Amino acid sequence: MPSATIGSKNPISIIRAALTLFKGSRVARALFAEHRPAAVIGFGGYPTVPPLYAAAASGIPTMLHEQNAVMGRANKMLAPRVNAIAGGFLTPEGEPLGAKIFATGNPVRPAVLRAAATPYDRRTQKEPFNLLVFGGSQGAHFFADAVPGALTRLSPEVRGLFRVTQQARPEDVEQVTARFTELGVPAEISPFFSDMARRIAEAHLVVCRSGASTVSEISVIGRPAIYVPYPHALDHDQAANAALVSANGGAKVVHQSQLSDEHFSELLTEAVDDPEKLVAAAVAAKQAGKRDATEKLADMAEALASGEKIEGTSR
């Protein structure tokens, strides 16, 4: 199904993108005539624009799911036309289309739901401290320097408590591993962890970016976090996602430009020295999590397809 991104200010590029989207809508109409869907649901991105436009114009029930606290550009284009909007972090407050926004949360993987059954490990001041650090390519590269730099500033007594699990880019693994070895800090460094849900559950503190899926999973499992939003996001959606969890005490949000080695080390020292504060943060994070998001979305889809009123989901 043809689609295109309208991201350029060049008039010719805009016209070409619009023509491609129009062609995609025609293809979608033909598919709908053949398959006669009961509902059409989009999960964001420009590939969803042609089918959602076509479905709305054809009178087929439509719905969007927006995973972030700030609506993406494609979903913004479609929002006035659809029947309902499910929000991962999006809430109806202050939104012009708030009457059709339902706060469902973001679906999480079965492994995350299993990990959510693991209680938070209440430690004492002198017991080992499990720190989990991860991020995308840009985040992993930033943390490759930031975490060892912060640990260097800690007192030997505090630094000796840390047990670090950190995601790093393949080209950074050797360097990061060497720095932790120099510091005498036990660390597992890898470009990828296949059991991330379990590692989140075992962490006393998580340091990471604040994409919608990441914040959703950490909240459902219920772990305190320091979120460092990706600074170059167009809509600053990561900062908005993290702000919703930090508002009830489940996390701290620190902008990358403010996370100096000194400030980072202060945050880590505070986390180690005040275990009860982290326990409270873990409880708050879990309260912010929505572990039943999949069921809520399924209920919305069934109600939409059957023409029933959408109920059982908080607005």
Side-chain angles (χ1 to χ4, degrees), residues 4-62:
T5 300
I6 302 178
S8 172
K9 295 182 179 180
N10 185 302
I12 296 176
S13 297
I14 293 173
I15 292 170
R16 285 175 176 167
L19 287 172
T20 302
L21 292 172
F22 176 72
K23 290 177 183 176
S25 294
R26 293 187 64 179
V27 172
R29 283 175 181 263
L31 287 170
F32 297 158
E34 179 182 354
H35 296 286
R36 306 184 70 80
V40 178
I41 303 173
F43 284 81
Y46 278 94
T48 66
V49 172
L52 266 296
Y53 262 116
S58 302
I60 301 170
T62 53

Side-chain angles (χ1 to χ4, degrees), residues 13-219:
S13 297
I14 293 173
I15 292 170
R16 285 175 176 167
L19 287 172
T20 302
L21 292 172
F22 176 72
K23 290 177 183 176
S25 294
R26 293 187 64 179
V27 172
R29 283 175 181 263
L31 287 170
F32 297 158
E34 179 182 354
H35 296 286
R36 306 184 70 80
V40 178
I41 303 173
F43 284 81
Y46 278 94
T48 66
V49 172
L52 266 296
Y53 262 116
S58 302
I60 301 170
T62 53
M63 183 174 87
L64 296 176
H65 179 269
E66 172 54 60
Q67 65 173 347
N68 290 299
V70 178
M71 196 175 290
R73 286 172 292 172
N75 275 351
K76 277 183 182 178
M77 290 176 58
L78 294 165
R81 297 174 177 269
V82 300
N83 300 100
I85 301 169
F89 288 99
L90 191 69
T91 59
E93 288 76 20
E95 292 286 342
L97 301 172
K100 56 181 174 182
I101 295 176
F102 297 82
T104 60
N106 290 311
V108 296
R109 298 169 293 135
V112 172
L113 296 175
R114 290 193 295 270
T118 304
Y120 183 72
D121 181 22
R122 187 189 294 262
R123 56 177 288 278
T124 65
Q125 268 190 335
K126 301 303 180 183
E127 288 183 314
F129 186 91
N130 298 330
L131 178 67
L132 173 64
V133 184
F134 65 91
S137 177
Q138 296 283 341
H141 185 60
F142 170 73
F143 292 134
D145 290 325
V147 176
L151 291 176
T152 300
R153 289 178 167 268
L154 300 179
S155 69
E157 293 77 18
V158 173
R159 186 167 61 242
L161 299 174
F162 277 84
R163 307 291 182 267
V164 179
T165 300
Q166 182 163 340
Q167 184 183 43
R169 299 191 306 181
E171 59 268 34
D172 293 334
V173 168
E174 185 176 345
Q175 169 200 334
V176 176
T177 301
R179 292 194 67 183
F180 280 112
T181 300
E182 290 172 6
L183 291 169
V185 175
E188 184 177 357
I189 314 298
S190 176
F192 177 76
F193 295 104
S194 60
D195 55 348
M196 185 61 81
R198 177 182 67 81
R199 292 173 185 273
I200 292 172
E202 292 176 350
H204 292 112
L205 178 68
V206 182
V207 178
C208 58
R209 294 298 196 198
S210 50
S213 295
T214 296
V215 177
S216 297
E217 292 188 353
I218 293 173
S219 298

